[in-house]
Amino acid sequence: TPPTQKPIATPGKRRIDQTMTKNGNSEKKGAKIFRVKCSQCHTVEEGGAHKLGPNLHGIFGRRPGLAEGYTQYSKANKMSEFTWEDGTLFDYLENPERYMKGTKMKFPGLKKPKERKDLIAYLKKSC
């Protein structure tokens, strides 16, 4: 049953080029960013284990809080009513706690737009 409360998080207002994964962004650099900054808490392969955070396979086109088998989501994630796509991830990855008030994800974010674009390029290929 969908929640009846207002969503805690809403999609960001900024928009990025929808073809950004084809505009010179580096999946290889994104893989390195993932390995260094994300892999402690997340996996990307299909059927991969959940860690402190959920496995990210299938994240594109899915609402937050719905990775099968992951039970540690915050109320903020469960109540969010947007879908993960390039633009929402771009905004979220800049500062997760500011984007989604109440998230359990304690990550300071990626301040450089190019790093976020490279990471998203990697996730699109890997997830």
Side-chain angles (χ1 to χ4, degrees):
T1 305
T4 56
Q5 296 177 323
K6 285 187 171 185
I8 293 172
T10 57
K13 294 180 181 171
R14 287 180 290 160
R15 282 287 172 239
I16 57 173
D17 182 354
Q18 292 301 312
T19 62
M20 69 182 202
T21 58
K22 298 175 184 173
N23 288 337
N25 296 308
S26 172
E27 293 169 357
K28 184 176 180 180
K29 288 180 182 176
K32 182 178 180 182
I33 293 166
F34 183 85
R35 187 175 62 254
V36 171
K37 300 194 179 216
C38 310
S39 66
Q40 308 86 291
C41 298
H42 297 281
T43 59
V44 294
E45 59 277 345
E46 185 173 6
H50 297 301
K51 292 183 172 182
L52 183 59
N55 172 281
L56 300 176
H57 190 80
I59 190 171
F60 290 94
R62 183 174 71 206
R63 284 182 39 206
L66 296 178
E68 189 174 328
Y70 186 74
T71 60
Q72 301 303 311
Y73 282 113
S74 66
K75 182 177 180 181
N77 267 277
K78 292 177 189 175
M79 299 298 291
S80 295
E81 294 184 356
F82 62 89
T83 300
W84 290 123
E85 44 92 7
D86 293 12
T88 51
L89 277 170
F90 183 82
D91 292 344
Y92 178 80
L93 290 169
E94 181 179 19
N95 186 329
E97 291 183 270
R98 184 175 64 216
Y99 187 82
M100 185 183 291
K101 301 288 186 204
T103 185
K104 290 181 180 179
M105 187 164 146
K106 302 300 178 201
F107 175 67
L110 298 170
K111 304 309 177 208
K112 296 178 182 176
K114 179 70 171 138
E115 287 185 352
R116 295 195 307 273
K117 289 177 183 180
D118 289 343
L119 178 58
I120 291 167
Y122 169 73
L123 292 173
K124 286 190 89 152
K125 180 180 180 185
S126 302
C127 293

